[in-house]
Amino acid sequence: MFLVVKNLNKSYGTNENKISVLKDINFSLEKGALCTLLGPSGSGKSTLLNAIGGLEKIDSGSIIINECEISGLKQNALSNFRRKYLGFIFQFYNLIPDLTVTENIQVGSFIHNDPMDIEKLIKDLGLWEHKNKYPRQLSGGQQQRVALARALVNDPDILLADEPTGALDSETSIQVMDLLKEVAKDRLVVMVTHNPELAHRYANRIVNVKDGHILSDT
């Protein structure tokens, strides 16, 4: 398996203020899958996604990506690992407002030794006619496509997506999900959502999370 999560536990606070957010989480995934972490707000799914991405330290357990135990890496080694293997997209795009579409994507390419062909990526994601526009000149769906291109430019093995359709209307959400489904053909996509309709329509793996526990894994 390319991604293995074993006995993962995560909490915040100490002593009487300690709150357990993730409790004994176990699952594994291979490339070529679109996995949704499905659950209501506050269930722990975003914390789990961030832990997989090395953005959250865990209390115990292990996260193994491509046979590397990432939870034991020092900060510099973890940063290098993220650049090599991981791409991130979020609900609110996080584009740089004073950079064009092309320049926003180039930001991602600067951190990788062998980035993808930016022009091809722009064309493949239907952004060619918008390549010199600024984020404020784009629709929400177009901005999310730019965010996706920026995440893909370093050709990551795992794409982590936190509510990527949360700020989009239903039609645009479908367009973005179609893109993610295509992306998942040759890499692993792990996506947080609270929308069961999208999860069941697009995912070939659904990990249902509630109150820090995995309720089901199908």
Side-chain angles (χ1 to χ4, degrees), residues 49-200:
L49 189 81
N50 289 336
I52 293 170
L55 301 177
E56 288 273 8
K57 289 187 176 182
I58 61 175
D59 297 342
S60 61
S62 62
I63 300 169
I64 302 168
I65 298 175
N66 195 28
E67 301 183 350
C68 176
E69 168 56 85
I70 70 164
S71 52
L73 295 177
K74 300 293 186 182
Q75 190 58 50
N76 285 344
L78 180 59
S79 296
N80 290 333
F81 186 89
R82 281 199 297 259
R83 284 196 291 267
K84 183 175 181 181
Y85 287 103
L86 304 177
F88 298 86
I89 57 174
F90 304 95
Q91 179 176 351
F92 296 110
Y93 326 129
N94 293 342
L95 300 179
I96 300 171
D98 295 330
L99 298 184
T100 65
V101 165
T102 300
E103 291 166 343
N104 264 283
I105 298 169
Q106 285 173 334
V107 167
S109 72
F110 294 150
I111 63 173
H112 199 267
N113 293 330
D114 187 26
M116 297 176 69
D117 184 320
I118 292 177
E119 287 195 356
K120 183 178 186 304
L121 193 56
I122 289 173
K123 290 176 181 177
D124 288 346
L125 290 178
L127 292 166
W128 187 253
E129 64 185 278
H130 307 293
K131 64 179 181 177
N132 295 318
K133 292 181 181 178
Y134 294 91
R136 62 182 176 274
Q137 298 173 297
L138 304 176
S139 68
Q142 289 164 347
Q143 290 186 66
Q144 193 60 289
R145 285 171 182 256
V146 178
L148 177 56
R150 184 181 57 190
L152 290 176
V153 73
N154 67 341
D155 198 18
D157 290 291
I158 302 179
L159 179 66
L160 302 175
D162 194 356
E163 296 279 8
T165 63
L168 305 176
D169 60 44
S170 57
E171 182 178 351
T172 309
S173 294
I174 289 171
Q175 295 171 0
V176 169
M177 290 305 303
D178 285 339
L179 288 171
L180 291 176
K181 187 73 172 178
E182 186 68 24
V183 165
K185 289 181 178 179
D186 56 1
R187 53 177 53 85
L188 171 61
V189 176
V190 184
M191 184 187 98
V192 162
T193 184
H194 63 270
N195 187 328
E197 181 180 351
L198 287 181
H200 288 284

Side-chain angles (χ1 to χ4, degrees), residues 25 35-40 43 45 48 193 196 199-200 205-218:
I25 300 293
C35 171
T36 56
L37 304 178
L38 176 66
S43 61
K45 57 190 187 298
L48 177 54
T193 184
H200 288 284
R205 183 78 171 273
I206 300 174
V207 177
N208 202 319
V209 183
K210 185 177 181 181
D211 296 330
H213 293 283
I214 291 181
L215 293 184
S216 62
D217 182 355
T218 57

